[in-house]
Amino acid sequence: SSGSSGTPGCTTVAPSNACGLTPQCGCAANQTCDVSNKSTGAVSCVTAGTAAQGAPCTTSSQCGVGLTCAYGACRPYCATANSACTGAGLGQCGQYYDPPGTAVPNEKVCTIECDLRNPSAACGSNTCIWDSGVNASDCDKAGTKGLWASCTTYNDCLPGYACINFLGNECEPWCRVGHNEDCPASSTGCVDVFGATAPVQNGAKL
């Protein structure tokens, strides 16, 4: 739904109609229009911070102007789920869920393209995950578990690792199929665990 506000040409978001999410409008130059009520989808203007796209965050007020904090990373809003986001380093537009499984009204956000093996360029100290639901890489909050540690959720592991059900759920490093030298021990090899939905980055299937 859209309404009107004091800013001409600004398509605001119901039910609060305080400002517009995409494109961002209706807020001061140092503010972001953000979904401030996860139950109703109501929006308000929040004073922005300085954290860059992909950087770790716990609240939108830490992120730069126009970015919201979702899945532990600063990222832009987008309009249409399952469509490509426009903008440098962005992937797919997807519905935001918080808590997991509960869709937040009005909140659709972009995935952030990142290197699964070396996430830091796009994600800072966050990790890079593979979202096989939308076939896209994405910056996400990093865990603390290292090589072969037991894990329970997709982002339990340190950057560069994935929580994979291999010999039970454990943190495994991303590797290029056919490049066993990417693996941590001479007795291990790179195994394709995603099949048809496997990520391909820099010309290599991971």
Side-chain angles (χ1 to χ4, degrees):
S1 300
S2 64
S4 60
S5 72
T7 307
C10 179
T11 301
T12 59
V13 178
S16 58
N17 289 308
C19 52
L21 291 173
T22 177
Q24 287 271 309
C25 61
C27 296
N30 66 334
Q31 294 179 322
T32 297
C33 184
D34 198 40
V35 174
S36 49
N37 186 311
K38 303 296 185 189
S39 299
T40 66
V43 297
S44 62
C45 295
V46 300
T47 300
T50 57
Q53 176 177 295
C57 59
T58 54
T59 176
S60 294
S61 61
Q62 297 169 327
C63 299
V65 173
L67 302 178
T68 188
C69 185
Y71 304 121
C74 296
R75 62 185 72 237
Y77 283 99
C78 52
T80 308
N82 302 313
S83 64
C85 286
T86 55
L90 299 178
Q92 293 291 310
C93 181
Q95 171 66 49
Y96 178 54
Y97 297 89
D98 185 27
T102 302
V104 177
N106 294 325
E107 191 153 3
K108 297 177 190 71
V109 295
C110 293
T111 60
I112 299 165
E113 293 179 340
C114 48
D115 185 334
L116 291 158
R117 298 177 63 223
N118 298 290
S120 61
C123 306
S125 60
N126 270 338
T127 191
C128 180
I129 64 152
W130 179 249
D131 185 341
S132 55
V134 292
N135 287 341
S137 58
D138 193 22
C139 296
D140 205 301
K141 184 174 187 253
T144 57
K145 299 187 174 185
L147 180 64
W148 300 325
S150 177
C151 56
T152 52
T153 64
Y154 66 93
N155 62 347
D156 274 350
C157 307
L158 289 167
Y161 293 82
C163 184
I164 295 295
N165 186 356
F166 196 52
L167 299 171
N169 286 338
E170 59 187 24
C171 294
E172 293 276 358
W174 285 99
C175 58
R176 297 166 296 169
V177 174
H179 289 265
N180 291 344
E181 69 273 16
D182 292 346
C183 298
S186 59
S187 60
T188 62
C190 190
V191 177
D192 179 9
V193 295
F194 284 97
T197 59
V200 176
Q201 293 192 323
N202 301 315
K205 186 176 185 178
L206 303 188

